[in-house]
Amino acid sequence: MKNIIVVFGTRPEAIKLAPFILQAKSDRRFRTYVCSTGQHREMLKPLLNFFEITPDFDLDLMKPGQSLADISIGVMRGLHDILNAHKMDAVVVQGDTTSCFIASLIAFYHKVPVMHIEAGLRSGDIYSPYPEEFNRKATGLVASLHFSPTEPSRENLLREHYSDEDIYVTGNTGIDALFTVIKKLADSPELRASFDKTYSFLNPKKKFILVTVHRRESFGVPMEEVMKGLVALSQREDVELLIPLHMNPQVRASAEKIFGDHAQWIDKGTPAHMGQSRIWLCEPIDYVPFVYLMNRAHLIITDSGGVQEEAPSLGKPILVARKKTERPEAIAAGTSKLIPLEEKAFVDTASEVLDNPEIYRRMSQAKNPFGDGKACERILNIMAERL
Ligand code: UD1
Ligand code: UDP
């Protein structure tokens, strides 16, 4: 039996690692430990409850408005102590967050093999997304095995001269998680009915646009241009926007400044009517209702990594509010498109998708370039063979 420790800190890592942890825990080839760095304290809690995962170690390191250095120092100290006290045969990390990169670095210092899930994504610009492009490259440097979600991500690693025999194309574990939730929603009319009730304020006659924004490299002017674009878009009679706001204080500050009276918070009292406003704001939504809402959306606008992978599986057109994306597969599949971070061009691009039925139809094809829901099983089999 190999001792493995799975380390995560943020919402997307918890979502993408939950199916892996659950399968690893029931796999007799491994003794699986779970470490939450707590980089996202509040946003992790409902996910861990939903997937019924209790971390063996919780570094609980989130501080409001934390700097990249704060997170790094916390993960370094915490994981160093854990690896000193417990002998591990592998450290499993996912993606490109600071928790992921620093955990990999500490594993390397302890000479424990690093298993990198979602390896090989590249935008080609070290500042976009920031600091994630650096984090995933640096994690790759110390990883023993690289689990790439797609063939193009494997090719990125080959171009950087990683050894072919250490790279495996497995699909993205996020799709494993998504399929679990889709099945849960399909099997449970009660659950769907409860979400129908929660979101009954959405007007079924309007095109519902679901929006998320949170990227560090967009803070300030670019994010505020996007928000101004959203306000302009909301002036259309035929649309309605719901924006679950990321907890990052910088996102909140820009939202308050730009949305002002144009938007209404749904968490602060029952939304009985909207007046002139067609923008609803809310706290981050739990993963299952968020999947329900993606499924219900006419269009999704986001700068999220994970949502770029989920929307094509759900057959939802997606506009990516970023200068560059490391997920070109969705663009190649025709379901996703970059949207400029400048108010007027932003509105023009969104309006084109809303107004041109042919473009909308082409972008709504359900495609699944990111996986088939069996990534975790593949990764565990490879790890059992290689460790
Ligand atoms: C982090 C990741 C990013 C990922 C994103 C997913 C890094 C450097 N960034 O960015 O790659 O795309 O998570 O959402 O690893 N906060 C809370 N409660 C929470 C979570 C966040 O209050 O549960 C607030 C805190 O004030 C915190 C701030 O948000 O300081 C920023 O969180 P942080 O993890 O530093 O960065 P994110 O922008 O969330
Ligand atoms: N998500 C969620 N609730 C929300 C917004 C997003 O559950 O209010 C989910 C989404 O379905 C995806 C993940 O969170 O699985 C993406 O997280 P985020 O956008 O924070 O990070 P990224 O993927 O950009 O690193």
Side-chain angles (χ1 to χ4, degrees), residues 42-53:
E42 289 82 10
M43 296 205 300
L44 281 182
K45 219 178 272 167
L47 287 167
L48 297 178
N49 286 343
F50 171 70
F51 287 108
E52 297 181 22
I53 292 172

Side-chain angles (χ1 to χ4, degrees), residues 10-12 39-44 62-66 68 71 96-99 131-132 135 214-216 219 246-249:
T10 64
R11 168 171 68 190
Q39 181 176 336
H40 281 177
R41 186 181 298 123
E42 289 82 10
M43 296 205 300
L44 281 182
M62 199 209 83
K63 293 192 204 121
Q66 63 206 352
L68 295 176
I71 313 167
D96 52 22
T97 67
T98 295
S99 287
E132 290 82 4
N135 285 346
H214 74 81
R215 300 242 75 89
R216 266 171 208 260
F219 286 166
H246 194 283
M247 296 187 79
N248 199 311

Side-chain angles (χ1 to χ4, degrees), residues 10-12 15-16 40 43 47 96-97 212 214-215 244 246 283-288 290-291 294 302-307 310 322 327:
T10 64
R11 168 171 68 190
I15 291 171
K16 290 172 169 180
H40 281 177
M43 296 205 300
L47 287 167
D96 52 22
T97 67
T212 74
H214 74 81
R215 300 242 75 89
H246 194 283
E283 293 297 336
I285 295 171
D286 288 354
Y287 181 48
V288 180
F290 190 76
V291 172
M294 281 195 286
T302 189
D303 60 12
S304 162
V307 177
E310 293 160 343
R322 290 196 194 186
R327 290 163 169 95

Side-chain angles (χ1 to χ4, degrees), residues 357-371:
E358 184 47 31
I359 292 179
Y360 184 83
R361 191 193 59 75
R362 263 190 275 128
M363 291 182 76
S364 321
Q365 312 286 323
K367 294 262 174 67
N368 213 340
F370 296 106

Side-chain angles (χ1 to χ4, degrees), residues 181-289:
V181 172
I182 290 174
K183 183 165 182 329
K184 194 178 165 86
L185 283 169
D187 291 349
S188 174
E190 303 80 32
L191 195 61
R192 292 198 307 276
S194 81
F195 295 147
D196 287 344
K197 190 160 171 242
T198 307
Y199 296 101
S200 59
F201 61 89
L202 290 171
N203 185 339
K205 295 200 183 99
K206 292 193 193 280
K207 293 173 177 166
F208 162 46
I209 306 177
L210 183 64
V211 182
T212 74
V213 280
H214 74 81
R215 300 242 75 89
R216 266 171 208 260
E217 70 276 9
S218 302
F219 286 166
V221 173
M223 190 171 283
E224 292 181 5
E225 284 291 304
V226 167
M227 290 176 175
K228 285 181 196 165
L230 292 169
V231 170
L233 207 57
S234 74
Q235 306 304 309
R236 291 174 59 123
E237 292 287 335
D238 61 340
V239 301
E240 185 171 31
L241 285 73
L242 176 65
I243 313 179
L245 279 182
H246 194 283
M247 296 187 79
N248 199 311
Q250 302 235 41
V251 177
R252 298 286 165 118
S254 290
E256 199 171 324
K257 177 171 155 196
I258 305 297
F259 294 138
D261 292 341
H262 296 288
Q264 189 176 327
W265 274 85
I266 64 170
D267 309 277
K268 297 175 185 161
T270 309
H273 63 90
M274 291 188 81
Q276 289 306 304
S277 160
R278 293 186 194 92
I279 300 181
W280 301 107
L281 300 179
C282 64
E283 293 297 336
I285 295 171
D286 288 354
Y287 181 48
V288 180

Side-chain angles (χ1 to χ4, degrees), residues 327-385:
R327 290 163 169 95
E329 295 88 346
I331 293 184
T335 58
S336 133
K337 209 174 153 160
L338 293 178
I339 185 164
L341 310 182
E342 183 278 315
E343 179 183 349
K344 184 170 177 322
F346 177 96
V347 176
D348 290 347
T349 303
S351 304
E352 193 185 30
V353 178
L354 290 169
D355 294 333
N356 186 322
E358 184 47 31
I359 292 179
Y360 184 83
R361 191 193 59 75
R362 263 190 275 128
M363 291 182 76
S364 321
Q365 312 286 323
K367 294 262 174 67
N368 213 340
F370 296 106
D372 61 0
K374 298 199 171 90
C376 298
E377 188 185 315
R378 285 190 194 101
I379 293 169
L380 285 165
N381 287 339
I382 296 161
M383 280 174 51
E385 194 188 307

